[in-house]
């Protein structure tokens, strides 16, 4: 899926929409907008245009469009720093999981609402003692009449306090010698009895993620995703969607654009060359995902390289001497973007898997 040329009309359409939204003052471009820009009204507007769940079947609220077309829309939204965080996880990974593994009932209950930009999901994988080593999760799901009783603790759950549901990785049985056995994925209603969500403050003063305490939460059978006991395989496939998108190299694009006029041709060429290389890899993985594959290794590579690129860009583009080169009337906006990028950058190499772990995944694959 390396050829996006046929999509110029769509690209122009998205640019025109973004231009109008900016002119109307409906959003201010920010760095890291896919994590920090939570705006349900904006998400709803994208839903009306068919730009959420774009590749899903029309029967479930999708638009039956190609992965290339989705790529174009996502690229433009991220490059503009548009507030897309509210629906991000549901669009990027929960929806595709539901399309692949969901029951007919689940597809009809969740997908149209997600595609309309009205239903938001959080991802409940990490726990206090299970981050890099996800197989160490302790959140338990035990059988009861008509469903499951879930107890445990999730942490770093992005937007849990702003979402309707959490796709939750649980352990169905006690840990055995096979660390990956006995896990399941459940859709938990974040308004259910026994759910306690505690937002965690970030260095920028806002709360982007939360701790989620689950105390004997009842989850009906109809909200089991996929097969009981196959949670590990399912999550591994999901991570390919999580790690490989353009957000892994475009988080600080609004800063790059704001400062680009101050760069020499050589500096600009250096930035462009690095961005182009990761983008090509990203497009390659998107093509494989469209073909129904789960390219976990390549996705890990996109995330590891993208993160390194993004953190490098923040280092290179936020020096005081460079920021001071911006015209006086642009100083406030440029400094604000630089500040956002600086504060968010340490998290780039943690979220979605740390660089050390991703390098290990790629290294193991290369060495067999
Ligand atoms: C902004 C942000 C948003 C997040 N959102 C979510 C979310 O929505 N849902 C969710 O489930 N999780 C989320 N996370 C959690 C994220 O997935 C974890 O932070 C990540 O997996 C690392 O786990 P940890 O924080 O427990 O660190 P640890 O696993 O404790 O790692 C600490 C350090 O040790 C290193 N390390 C650990 N094991 C090894 C090893 N075997 N070899 C070499 N080095 C190693 C790591 O690379 C890291 O540098 C988010 C995190 C951030 C920062």
């Amino acid at each position: 899926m390396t050829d996006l040329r046929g999509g110029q009309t769509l690209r122009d359409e998205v640019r025109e929409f973004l231009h109008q939204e900016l002119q109307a003052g409906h959003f201010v471009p920010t760095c890291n907008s896919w994590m920090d820009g939570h705006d349900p009204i904006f998400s709803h507007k994208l839903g009306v245009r068919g730009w959420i769940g774009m590749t899903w079947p029309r029967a479930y609220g999708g638009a039956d469009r190609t992965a290339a077309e989705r790529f174009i829309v996502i690229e433009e939204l991220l490059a503009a720093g548009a507030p897309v965080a509210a629906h991000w996880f549901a669009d990027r990974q929960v929806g595709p999981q539901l399309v692949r593994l969901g029951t007919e009932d689940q597809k009809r209950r969740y997908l149209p609402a997600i595609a309309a930009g009205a239903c938001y999901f959080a991802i409940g994988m990490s726990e206090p003692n299970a981050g890099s080593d996800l197989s160490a999760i302790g959140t338990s799901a035990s059988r009861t009449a008509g469903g499951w009783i879930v107890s445990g603790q999730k942490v770093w759950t992005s937007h849990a306090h702003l979402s309707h549901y959490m796709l939750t990785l649980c352990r169905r049985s006690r840990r055995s010698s096979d660390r990956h056995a006995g896990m399941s994925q459940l859709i938990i209603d974040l308004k259910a009895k026994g759910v306690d969500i505690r937002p965690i403050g970030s260095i920028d003063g806002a709360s982007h993620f939360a701790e989620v305490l689950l105390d004997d939460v009842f989850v009906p059978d109809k909200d089991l995703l996929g097969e009981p006991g196959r949670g590990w395989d399912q999550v591994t496939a999901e991570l390919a969607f999580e790690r490989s998108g353009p957000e892994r190299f475009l988080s600080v694009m609004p800063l790059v654009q704001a400062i680009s006029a101050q760069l020499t041709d050589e500096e600009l060429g250096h930035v462009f060359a690095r961005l182009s290389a990761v983008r090509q890899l990203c497009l390659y993985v998107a093509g494989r995902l469209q073909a129904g594959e789960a390219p976990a290794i390549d996705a890990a590579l996109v995330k590891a390289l993208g993160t390194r690129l993004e953190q490098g860009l923040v280092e290179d583009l936020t020096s005081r001497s460079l920021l001071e080169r911006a015209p006086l009337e642009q100083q406030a906006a440029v400094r604000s973007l630089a500040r956002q990028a600086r504060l968010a950058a340490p998290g780039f190499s943690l979220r979605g898997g740390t660089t050390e772990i991703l390098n290990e995944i790629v290294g193991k694959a290369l060495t067999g």
Side-chain angles (χ1 to χ4, degrees):
M1 201 194 68
T2 49
D3 190 356
L4 300 179
R5 280 171 299 183
Q8 194 55 47
T9 309
L10 177 61
R11 199 179 283 283
D12 292 343
E13 198 187 324
V14 182
R15 285 185 180 172
E16 177 56 27
F17 164 76
L18 288 166
H19 177 69
Q20 283 176 12
E21 288 292 300
L22 272 173
Q23 292 291 102
H26 291 161
F27 78 91
V28 174
T30 56
C31 286
N32 209 32
S33 68
W34 63 277
M35 286 292 280
D36 301 345
H38 197 283
D39 182 346
I41 295 174
F42 193 84
S43 292
H44 179 67
K45 287 179 189 168
L46 296 184
V48 168
R49 288 176 173 263
W51 292 342
I52 302 176
M54 282 180 73
T55 60
W56 310 343
R58 280 189 194 281
Y60 305 123
D64 257 333
R65 300 188 82 156
T66 64
E69 289 173 310
R70 177 173 186 271
F71 197 95
I72 288 167
V73 172
I74 298 291
E75 258 191 340
E76 292 299 324
L77 293 171
L78 294 172
V84 291
H87 64 272
W88 192 262
F89 302 116
D91 180 42
R92 175 182 73 183
Q93 63 196 90
V94 177
Q97 284 286 80
L98 283 163
V99 169
R100 267 180 355 108
L101 304 167
T103 61
E104 187 59 25
D105 167 63
Q106 287 170 343
K107 288 176 184 170
R108 293 202 179 276
R109 270 191 298 137
Y110 296 115
L111 291 175
I114 294 173
C119 174
Y120 314 138
F121 271 74
I123 302 298
M125 292 188 198
S126 306
E127 297 182 6
N129 295 314
S132 298
D133 184 8
L134 191 57
S135 65
I137 60 156
T139 295
S140 65
S142 42
R143 286 300 286 155
T144 189
W148 306 79
I149 296 290
V150 181
S151 288
Q153 182 181 3
K154 295 291 173 183
V155 77
W156 313 127
T157 319
S158 297
H159 311 147
H161 50 307
L162 302 169
S163 299
H164 303 98
Y165 302 97
M166 177 170 73
L167 183 56
T168 313
L169 185 64
C170 311
R171 185 169 287 288
R172 191 183 165 205
S173 51
R174 286 191 173 280
R175 281 172 72 176
S176 65
S177 53
D178 180 355
R179 293 163 58 82
H180 302 147
M183 293 188 200
S184 298
Q185 281 189 295
L186 295 172
I187 297 170
I188 294 188
D189 182 342
L190 290 172
K191 297 258 179 323
K193 192 164 165 277
V195 177
D196 181 8
I197 305 176
R198 301 176 182 177
I200 299 171
S202 299
I203 194 169
D204 64 0
S207 291
H208 304 296
F209 40 53
E211 182 181 26
V212 183
L213 305 174
L214 304 164
D215 183 12
D216 283 348
V217 179
F218 174 73
V219 182
D221 276 330
K222 65 179 184 172
D223 279 328
L224 167 77
L225 179 65
E227 284 182 50
R230 296 296 308 273
W232 184 259
D233 293 341
Q234 292 176 198
V235 154
T236 307
E238 183 184 324
L239 285 173
F241 285 97
E242 178 171 339
R243 291 174 171 161
S244 65
E247 70 273 25
R248 298 303 178 187
F249 64 92
L250 290 178
S251 303
V252 296
M253 201 57 191
L255 171 67
V256 175
Q257 296 189 87
I259 205 76
S260 60
Q262 314 313 322
L263 299 177
T264 63
D265 285 352
E266 190 184 343
E267 288 167 335
L268 202 55
H270 192 52
V271 170
F272 184 74
R274 285 185 290 167
L275 279 167
S276 300
V278 179
R279 182 172 183 261
Q280 279 307 318
L281 184 61
C282 187
L283 277 166
Y284 163 72
V285 176
R288 291 190 58 192
L289 287 170
Q290 163 137 338
E293 297 175 41
I297 316 293
D298 309 74
L301 199 55
V302 170
K303 209 259 157 181
L305 294 175
T307 294
R308 187 179 302 172
L309 166 63
E310 289 193 318
Q311 288 182 331
L313 288 173
V314 175
E315 280 303 313
D316 294 349
L317 302 183
T318 58
S319 71
R320 180 176 293 187
S321 57
L322 181 57
L323 296 178
E324 279 171 354
R325 281 193 230 160
L328 209 53
E329 67 278 11
Q330 292 172 17
Q331 282 279 328
V334 169
R335 282 176 189 277
S336 172
L337 289 167
R339 181 176 176 277
Q340 292 156 12
R342 272 269 168 208
L343 294 181
F348 295 174
S349 47
L350 287 171
R351 64 189 186 195
T354 71
T355 303
E356 290 78 9
I357 296 303
L358 299 172
N359 286 346
E360 194 177 312
I361 292 172
V362 175
K364 272 186 182 162
L366 288 174
T367 57

